[in-house]
Tab-separated table of all heavy atoms in Angstrom:
chain	number	residue	atom	x	y	z
B	172	MET	N	6.685	-12.220	-5.712
B	172	MET	CA	7.371	-11.056	-5.751
B	172	MET	C	6.831	-9.999	-4.841
B	172	MET	O	5.636	-9.948	-4.728
B	172	MET	CB	7.314	-10.428	-7.159
B	172	MET	CG	8.336	-9.339	-7.432
B	172	MET	SD	8.249	-8.792	-9.164
B	172	MET	CE	7.603	-7.079	-8.902
B	173	THR	N	7.621	-9.364	-4.074
B	173	THR	CA	7.182	-8.470	-3.096
B	173	THR	C	6.824	-7.066	-3.656
B	173	THR	O	7.304	-6.775	-4.759
B	173	THR	CB	8.208	-8.187	-1.940
B	173	THR	OG1	9.390	-7.676	-2.547
B	173	THR	CG2	8.447	-9.511	-1.198
B	174	LEU	N	6.001	-6.318	-3.036
B	174	LEU	CA	5.549	-4.992	-3.581
B	174	LEU	C	6.727	-3.975	-3.380
B	174	LEU	O	7.164	-3.765	-2.187
B	174	LEU	CB	4.300	-4.465	-2.828
B	174	LEU	CG	2.982	-5.171	-3.019
B	174	LEU	CD1	1.978	-4.735	-2.160
B	174	LEU	CD2	2.678	-4.946	-4.582
B	175	PRO	N	7.183	-3.413	-4.422
B	175	PRO	CA	8.350	-2.529	-4.255
B	175	PRO	C	7.829	-1.164	-3.499
B	175	PRO	O	6.782	-0.696	-3.766
B	175	PRO	CB	8.688	-2.173	-5.702
B	175	PRO	CG	7.502	-2.528	-6.594
B	175	PRO	CD	6.749	-3.544	-5.776
B	176	GLY	N	8.601	-0.711	-2.622
B	176	GLY	CA	8.271	0.520	-1.940
B	176	GLY	C	7.322	0.386	-0.754
B	176	GLY	O	7.132	1.316	-0.092
B	177	VAL	N	6.963	-0.812	-0.469
B	177	VAL	CA	6.125	-1.044	0.687
B	177	VAL	C	7.003	-1.615	1.854
B	177	VAL	O	7.607	-2.695	1.654
B	177	VAL	CB	4.935	-2.005	0.321
B	177	VAL	CG1	4.197	-2.412	1.654
B	177	VAL	CG2	4.000	-1.286	-0.590
B	178	LYS	N	7.024	-1.003	2.973
B	178	LYS	CA	7.715	-1.400	4.115
B	178	LYS	C	6.639	-1.767	5.189
B	178	LYS	O	5.831	-0.895	5.614
B	178	LYS	CB	8.738	-0.321	4.602
B	178	LYS	CG	9.361	-0.703	5.988
B	178	LYS	CD	10.314	0.336	6.351
B	178	LYS	CE	11.020	0.101	7.689
B	178	LYS	NZ	11.806	1.327	8.046
B	179	CYS	N	6.687	-2.926	5.668
B	179	CYS	CA	5.602	-3.320	6.651
B	179	CYS	C	6.273	-4.025	7.912
B	179	CYS	O	7.148	-4.910	7.750
B	179	CYS	CB	4.588	-4.295	5.936
B	179	CYS	SG	3.331	-4.802	7.121
B	180	LYS	N	5.705	-3.801	9.058
B	180	LYS	CA	6.188	-4.395	10.252
B	180	LYS	C	5.231	-5.432	10.902
B	180	LYS	O	5.451	-5.833	11.995
B	180	LYS	CB	6.538	-3.166	11.388
B	180	LYS	CG	7.749	-2.359	10.891
B	180	LYS	CD	7.967	-1.318	11.952
B	180	LYS	CE	9.054	-0.355	11.551
B	180	LYS	NZ	10.354	-0.923	11.577
B	181	VAL	N	4.227	-5.691	10.156
B	181	VAL	CA	3.205	-6.639	10.693
B	181	VAL	C	3.522	-8.074	10.408
B	181	VAL	O	3.032	-8.617	9.516
B	181	VAL	CB	1.796	-6.280	10.168
B	181	VAL	CG1	0.734	-7.077	10.812
B	181	VAL	CG2	1.578	-4.781	10.263
B	182	GLN	N	4.413	-8.572	11.240
B	182	GLN	CA	4.970	-9.947	11.041
B	182	GLN	C	3.886	-10.996	11.137
B	182	GLN	O	4.128	-12.139	10.638
B	182	GLN	CB	6.044	-10.202	12.084
B	182	GLN	CG	7.293	-9.310	11.803
B	182	GLN	CD	8.398	-9.851	12.787
B	182	GLN	OE1	8.527	-10.966	13.160
B	182	GLN	NE2	9.337	-8.932	12.949
B	183	SER	N	2.801	-10.791	11.813
B	183	SER	CA	1.686	-11.727	11.962
B	183	SER	C	0.798	-11.843	10.779
B	183	SER	O	-0.094	-12.668	10.688
B	183	SER	CB	0.933	-11.481	13.184
B	183	SER	OG	0.333	-10.143	13.048
B	184	CYS	N	1.098	-11.109	9.636
B	184	CYS	CA	0.330	-11.177	8.486
B	184	CYS	C	0.817	-12.253	7.581
B	184	CYS	O	2.088	-12.441	7.384
B	184	CYS	CB	0.344	-9.779	7.811
B	184	CYS	SG	-0.496	-9.754	6.154
B	185	LYS	N	-0.057	-12.921	6.884
B	185	LYS	CA	0.397	-14.060	6.080
B	185	LYS	C	1.140	-13.559	4.797
B	185	LYS	O	1.828	-14.344	4.170
B	185	LYS	CB	-0.747	-14.957	5.579
B	185	LYS	CG	-1.570	-14.409	4.555
B	185	LYS	CD	-2.648	-15.532	4.098
B	185	LYS	CE	-3.338	-15.152	2.752
B	185	LYS	NZ	-4.216	-16.192	2.261
B	186	TYR	N	0.975	-12.206	4.434
B	186	TYR	CA	1.721	-11.776	3.295
B	186	TYR	C	3.109	-11.175	3.665
B	186	TYR	O	3.908	-10.859	2.756
B	186	TYR	CB	0.931	-10.641	2.611
B	186	TYR	CG	-0.515	-11.146	2.094
B	186	TYR	CD1	-1.573	-10.639	2.570
B	186	TYR	CD2	-0.333	-11.988	1.088
B	186	TYR	CE1	-2.814	-11.148	2.048
B	186	TYR	CE2	-1.582	-12.439	0.442
B	186	TYR	CZ	-2.817	-12.016	1.009
B	186	TYR	OH	-4.053	-12.426	0.540
B	187	TRP	N	3.365	-11.148	4.968
B	187	TRP	CA	4.659	-10.456	5.464
B	187	TRP	C	5.814	-11.420	5.128
B	187	TRP	O	5.715	-12.641	5.252
B	187	TRP	CB	4.634	-10.210	6.925
B	187	TRP	CG	5.748	-9.497	7.384
B	187	TRP	CD1	5.922	-8.101	7.505
B	187	TRP	CD2	6.971	-9.952	7.935
B	187	TRP	NE1	7.120	-7.718	8.040
B	187	TRP	CE2	7.675	-8.961	8.323
B	187	TRP	CE3	7.478	-11.267	8.190
B	187	TRP	CZ2	9.124	-9.051	8.906
B	187	TRP	CZ3	8.741	-11.477	8.715
B	187	TRP	CH2	9.501	-10.394	9.087
B	188	LYS	N	6.923	-10.853	4.625
B	188	LYS	CA	8.198	-11.627	4.337
B	188	LYS	C	9.285	-10.980	4.993
B	188	LYS	O	9.350	-9.691	5.306
B	188	LYS	CB	8.398	-11.680	2.767
B	188	LYS	CG	7.372	-12.485	2.002
B	188	LYS	CD	7.485	-13.864	2.379
B	188	LYS	CE	6.410	-14.708	1.610
B	188	LYS	NZ	5.652	-15.678	2.406
B	189	GLN	N	10.370	-11.806	5.276
B	189	GLN	CA	11.501	-11.353	5.973
B	189	GLN	C	12.036	-10.048	5.279
B	189	GLN	O	12.026	-10.005	4.121
B	189	GLN	CB	12.668	-12.364	5.794
B	189	GLN	CG	13.777	-12.378	6.802
B	189	GLN	CD	13.234	-12.496	8.281
B	189	GLN	OE1	13.360	-11.680	9.088
B	189	GLN	NE2	12.671	-13.657	8.541
B	190	GLY	N	12.572	-9.092	6.126
B	190	GLY	CA	13.046	-7.847	5.651
B	190	GLY	C	11.959	-6.730	5.347
B	190	GLY	O	12.043	-5.839	4.673
B	191	GLU	N	10.831	-6.987	6.177
B	191	GLU	CA	9.741	-5.966	6.187
B	191	GLU	C	9.146	-5.846	4.799
B	191	GLU	O	8.795	-4.754	4.349
B	191	GLU	CB	10.220	-4.638	6.742
B	191	GLU	CG	10.621	-4.799	8.325
B	191	GLU	CD	11.086	-3.510	8.937
B	191	GLU	OE1	11.162	-2.490	8.161
B	191	GLU	OE2	11.166	-3.499	10.151
B	192	GLN	N	8.937	-6.920	4.112
B	192	GLN	CA	8.455	-6.966	2.784
B	192	GLN	C	7.026	-7.460	2.761
B	192	GLN	O	6.608	-8.187	3.672
B	192	GLN	CB	9.281	-7.910	1.876
B	192	GLN	CG	10.685	-7.438	1.809
B	192	GLN	CD	10.975	-6.340	0.835
B	192	GLN	OE1	10.721	-6.441	-0.331
B	192	GLN	NE2	11.521	-5.257	1.374
B	193	CYS	N	6.249	-7.111	1.740
B	193	CYS	CA	4.826	-7.570	1.548
B	193	CYS	C	4.739	-8.257	0.256
B	193	CYS	O	5.115	-7.705	-0.815
B	193	CYS	CB	3.841	-6.332	1.578
B	193	CYS	SG	2.206	-6.811	1.126
B	194	ASP	N	4.209	-9.555	0.243
B	194	ASP	CA	4.121	-10.268	-1.046
B	194	ASP	C	2.770	-10.424	-1.580
B	194	ASP	O	2.414	-11.199	-2.348
B	194	ASP	CB	4.873	-11.577	-1.071
B	194	ASP	CG	4.154	-12.649	-0.339
B	194	ASP	OD1	3.148	-12.340	0.382
B	194	ASP	OD2	4.576	-13.791	-0.420
B	195	ALA	N	1.770	-9.514	-1.089
B	195	ALA	CA	0.463	-9.418	-1.669
B	195	ALA	C	0.576	-8.899	-3.118
B	195	ALA	O	1.531	-8.154	-3.389
B	195	ALA	CB	-0.422	-8.549	-0.772
B	196	SER	N	-0.413	-9.109	-3.938
B	196	SER	CA	-0.330	-8.576	-5.221
B	196	SER	C	-0.599	-6.943	-5.233
B	196	SER	O	-0.261	-6.297	-6.180
B	196	SER	CB	-1.364	-9.283	-6.215
B	196	SER	OG	-2.594	-9.182	-5.601
B	197	ALA	N	-1.463	-6.645	-4.259
B	197	ALA	CA	-1.770	-5.178	-4.059
B	197	ALA	C	-2.186	-5.061	-2.612
B	197	ALA	O	-2.547	-5.993	-1.961
B	197	ALA	CB	-2.871	-4.759	-5.047
B	198	ILE	N	-2.278	-3.851	-2.086
B	198	ILE	CA	-2.800	-3.683	-0.784
B	198	ILE	C	-3.810	-2.581	-0.727
B	198	ILE	O	-3.765	-1.624	-1.576
B	198	ILE	CB	-1.647	-3.301	0.293
B	198	ILE	CG1	-0.982	-2.074	-0.055
B	198	ILE	CG2	-0.737	-4.464	0.518
B	198	ILE	CD1	-0.028	-1.578	1.049
B	199	GLU	N	-4.735	-2.635	0.214
B	199	GLU	CA	-5.768	-1.620	0.406
B	199	GLU	C	-5.554	-0.913	1.721
B	199	GLU	O	-5.428	-1.705	2.773
B	199	GLU	CB	-7.176	-2.231	0.403
B	199	GLU	CG	-8.171	-1.264	0.713
B	199	GLU	CD	-9.611	-1.855	0.669
B	199	GLU	OE1	-9.825	-2.841	-0.057
B	199	GLU	OE2	-10.514	-1.349	1.319
B	200	VAL	N	-5.423	0.291	1.803
B	200	VAL	CA	-5.227	1.099	3.076
B	200	VAL	C	-6.408	1.972	3.298
B	200	VAL	O	-6.810	2.708	2.408
B	200	VAL	CB	-3.918	1.946	3.012
B	200	VAL	CG1	-3.745	2.695	4.340
B	200	VAL	CG2	-2.759	0.969	2.747
B	201	ASN	N	-7.017	1.810	4.537
B	201	ASN	CA	-8.182	2.551	4.837
B	201	ASN	C	-7.932	3.453	6.032
B	201	ASN	O	-6.955	3.295	6.729
B	201	ASN	CB	-9.315	1.649	5.115
B	201	ASN	CG	-9.815	0.957	3.929
B	201	ASN	OD1	-9.448	1.247	2.796
B	201	ASN	ND2	-10.539	-0.110	4.025
B	202	VAL	N	-8.952	4.320	6.332
B	202	VAL	CA	-8.865	5.198	7.583
B	202	VAL	C	-9.599	4.466	8.617
B	202	VAL	O	-10.645	3.888	8.422
B	202	VAL	CB	-9.638	6.538	7.250
B	202	VAL	CG1	-9.598	7.394	8.450
B	202	VAL	CG2	-9.041	7.268	6.010
B	203	ASP	N	-8.968	4.451	9.857
B	203	ASP	CA	-9.587	3.882	10.972
B	203	ASP	C	-10.959	4.463	11.136
B	203	ASP	O	-11.135	5.755	11.222
B	203	ASP	CB	-8.836	4.092	12.257
B	203	ASP	CG	-7.505	3.186	12.389
B	203	ASP	OD1	-7.534	2.217	11.604
B	203	ASP	OD2	-6.644	3.558	13.191
B	204	GLY	N	-11.889	3.654	11.482
B	204	GLY	CA	-13.324	4.170	11.665
B	204	GLY	C	-14.108	4.574	10.454
B	204	GLY	O	-15.191	5.084	10.528
B	205	GLY	N	-13.564	4.431	9.305
B	205	GLY	CA	-14.252	4.685	8.043
B	205	GLY	C	-13.935	6.226	7.623
B	205	GLY	O	-13.083	6.851	8.182
B	206	GLY	N	-14.625	6.570	6.507
B	206	GLY	CA	-14.405	7.924	5.998
B	206	GLY	C	-13.106	7.969	5.072
B	206	GLY	O	-12.613	6.889	4.697
B	207	MET	N	-12.813	9.097	4.619
B	207	MET	CA	-11.765	9.311	3.629
B	207	MET	C	-10.775	10.351	4.130
B	207	MET	O	-9.925	10.759	3.333
B	207	MET	CB	-12.395	9.948	2.365
B	207	MET	CG	-13.393	9.057	1.617
B	207	MET	SD	-12.743	7.617	0.899
B	207	MET	CE	-12.026	8.334	-0.642
B	208	SER	N	-10.693	10.583	5.415
B	208	SER	CA	-9.735	11.674	5.922
B	208	SER	C	-9.094	11.116	7.129
B	208	SER	O	-9.670	10.885	8.132
B	208	SER	CB	-10.502	12.912	6.079
B	208	SER	OG	-9.601	13.805	6.559
B	209	ALA	N	-7.776	11.088	7.148
B	209	ALA	CA	-7.020	10.788	8.363
B	209	ALA	C	-5.950	12.000	8.611
B	209	ALA	O	-5.720	12.639	7.705
B	209	ALA	CB	-6.131	9.583	8.128
B	210	ARG	N	-5.707	12.170	9.870
B	210	ARG	CA	-4.822	13.397	10.228
B	210	ARG	C	-3.428	12.815	10.692
B	210	ARG	O	-2.531	13.640	10.627
B	210	ARG	CB	-5.481	14.134	11.380
B	210	ARG	CG	-6.731	14.903	10.896
B	210	ARG	CD	-7.315	15.758	11.999
B	210	ARG	NE	-8.400	16.497	11.542
B	210	ARG	CZ	-8.328	17.689	11.034
B	210	ARG	NH1	-7.097	18.253	10.778
B	210	ARG	NH2	-9.367	18.350	10.574
B	211	GLN	N	-3.408	11.537	11.152
B	211	GLN	CA	-2.129	11.042	11.485
B	211	GLN	C	-1.946	9.622	10.950
B	211	GLN	O	-2.880	8.941	10.725
B	211	GLN	CB	-2.105	10.916	12.988
B	211	GLN	CG	-2.245	12.192	13.789
B	211	GLN	CD	-2.286	12.018	15.206
B	211	GLN	OE1	-3.114	11.199	15.740
B	211	GLN	NE2	-1.515	12.830	16.048
B	212	SER	N	-0.656	9.269	10.734
B	212	SER	CA	-0.416	7.924	10.248
B	212	SER	C	-1.057	6.721	11.043
B	212	SER	O	-1.501	5.771	10.476
B	212	SER	CB	1.026	7.631	10.080
B	212	SER	OG	1.784	7.806	11.281
B	213	GLU	N	-1.048	6.974	12.380
B	213	GLU	CA	-1.801	6.021	13.260
B	213	GLU	C	-3.272	5.796	12.942
B	213	GLU	O	-3.812	4.838	13.419
B	213	GLU	CB	-1.628	6.444	14.721
B	213	GLU	CG	-0.217	6.527	15.240
B	213	GLU	CD	0.648	7.671	14.876
B	213	GLU	OE1	0.094	8.533	14.219
B	213	GLU	OE2	1.815	7.593	15.234
B	214	GLN	N	-3.842	6.675	12.173
B	214	GLN	CA	-5.273	6.538	11.873
B	214	GLN	C	-5.547	5.788	10.545
B	214	GLN	O	-6.632	5.661	10.115
B	214	GLN	CB	-5.899	7.961	11.723
B	214	GLN	CG	-5.936	8.683	13.073
B	214	GLN	CD	-6.395	10.074	12.998
B	214	GLN	OE1	-6.084	10.842	12.013
B	214	GLN	NE2	-7.226	10.588	13.816
B	215	THR	N	-4.484	5.249	9.892
B	215	THR	CA	-4.637	4.430	8.758
B	215	THR	C	-4.175	3.016	9.062
B	215	THR	O	-3.460	2.807	9.857
B	215	THR	CB	-3.729	4.982	7.607
B	215	THR	OG1	-2.370	4.886	7.868
B	215	THR	CG2	-4.040	6.519	7.382
B	216	ASN	N	-4.656	2.160	8.184
B	216	ASN	CA	-4.369	0.723	8.397
B	216	ASN	C	-4.496	-0.112	7.134
B	216	ASN	O	-5.345	0.292	6.277
B	216	ASN	CB	-5.168	0.148	9.578
B	216	ASN	CG	-6.573	0.222	9.350
B	216	ASN	OD1	-7.241	-0.501	8.540
B	216	ASN	ND2	-7.221	1.288	9.898
B	217	CYS	N	-3.840	-1.232	6.999
B	217	CYS	CA	-3.844	-2.035	5.893
B	217	CYS	C	-5.028	-3.075	6.023
B	217	CYS	O	-5.062	-3.892	6.962
B	217	CYS	CB	-2.649	-2.769	5.770
B	217	CYS	SG	-2.521	-3.896	4.343
B	218	HIS	N	-6.028	-3.047	5.113
B	218	HIS	CA	-7.119	-3.991	5.131
B	218	HIS	C	-6.797	-5.211	4.304
B	218	HIS	O	-7.718	-6.149	4.299
B	218	HIS	CB	-8.335	-3.335	4.622
B	218	HIS	CG	-9.000	-2.546	5.909
B	218	HIS	ND1	-10.356	-2.895	6.089
B	218	HIS	CD2	-8.598	-1.683	6.678
B	218	HIS	CE1	-10.688	-2.078	7.215
B	218	HIS	NE2	-9.708	-1.408	7.532
B	219	THR	N	-5.689	-5.333	3.767
B	219	THR	CA	-5.260	-6.567	2.997
B	219	THR	C	-4.729	-7.609	4.076
B	219	THR	O	-4.550	-8.771	3.766
B	219	THR	CB	-4.264	-6.257	1.950
B	219	THR	OG1	-4.752	-5.221	1.155
B	219	THR	CG2	-4.006	-7.416	1.094
B	220	PHE	N	-4.421	-7.125	5.237
B	220	PHE	CA	-3.962	-7.942	6.215
B	220	PHE	C	-4.713	-9.219	6.431
B	220	PHE	O	-5.979	-9.153	6.471
B	220	PHE	CB	-3.881	-7.221	7.587
B	220	PHE	CG	-3.671	-8.085	8.853
B	220	PHE	CD1	-2.359	-8.450	9.201
B	220	PHE	CD2	-4.750	-8.554	9.638
B	220	PHE	CE1	-2.150	-9.351	10.256
B	220	PHE	CE2	-4.547	-9.365	10.664
B	220	PHE	CZ	-3.244	-9.764	10.995
B	221	MET	N	-4.127	-10.386	6.588
B	221	MET	CA	-4.739	-11.612	6.834
B	221	MET	C	-3.853	-12.372	7.917
B	221	MET	O	-2.666	-12.384	7.710
B	221	MET	CB	-4.717	-12.574	5.572
B	221	MET	CG	-5.651	-12.108	4.515
B	221	MET	SD	-7.322	-12.495	4.852
B	221	MET	CE	-7.373	-14.374	4.484
B	222	PRO	N	-4.501	-12.778	8.935
B	222	PRO	CA	-3.649	-13.529	9.972
B	222	PRO	C	-3.112	-14.762	9.443
B	222	PRO	O	-3.686	-15.428	8.531
B	222	PRO	CB	-4.705	-13.760	11.069
B	222	PRO	CG	-6.107	-13.715	10.473
B	222	PRO	CD	-5.862	-12.722	9.296
B	223	LYS	N	-1.879	-15.149	9.941
B	223	LYS	CA	-1.294	-16.458	9.375
B	223	LYS	C	-2.111	-17.617	9.883
B	223	LYS	O	-2.642	-17.605	10.962
B	223	LYS	CB	0.163	-16.546	10.022
B	223	LYS	CG	1.136	-15.560	9.264
B	223	LYS	CD	2.534	-15.668	9.829
B	223	LYS	CE	3.436	-14.734	9.143
B	223	LYS	NZ	4.717	-14.821	9.676
T	559	SF4	S1	-0.887	-7.172	3.406
T	559	SF4	FE1	-0.618	-5.225	4.678
T	559	SF4	S2	-0.258	-6.000	6.789
T	559	SF4	FE2	0.188	-7.684	5.325
T	559	SF4	S3	2.284	-7.620	4.879
T	559	SF4	FE3	1.286	-6.521	3.284
T	559	SF4	S4	1.343	-4.341	3.985
T	559	SF4	FE4	1.711	-5.634	5.734
């Protein structure tokens, strides 16, 4: 089952499914470079990503 409300464009991830869906059981999103504060969406990223 895919995660409701999650839209993902990372097709090279093993959890990615057709229709920009994610079928991981949960995802972890972190700030680039560590810390707890991002100012732009580009500074965040999914750490549940796994290459296919
Ligand atoms: S785990 Fe992250 S990168 Fe992979 S499909 Fe899900 S949201 Fe996208």
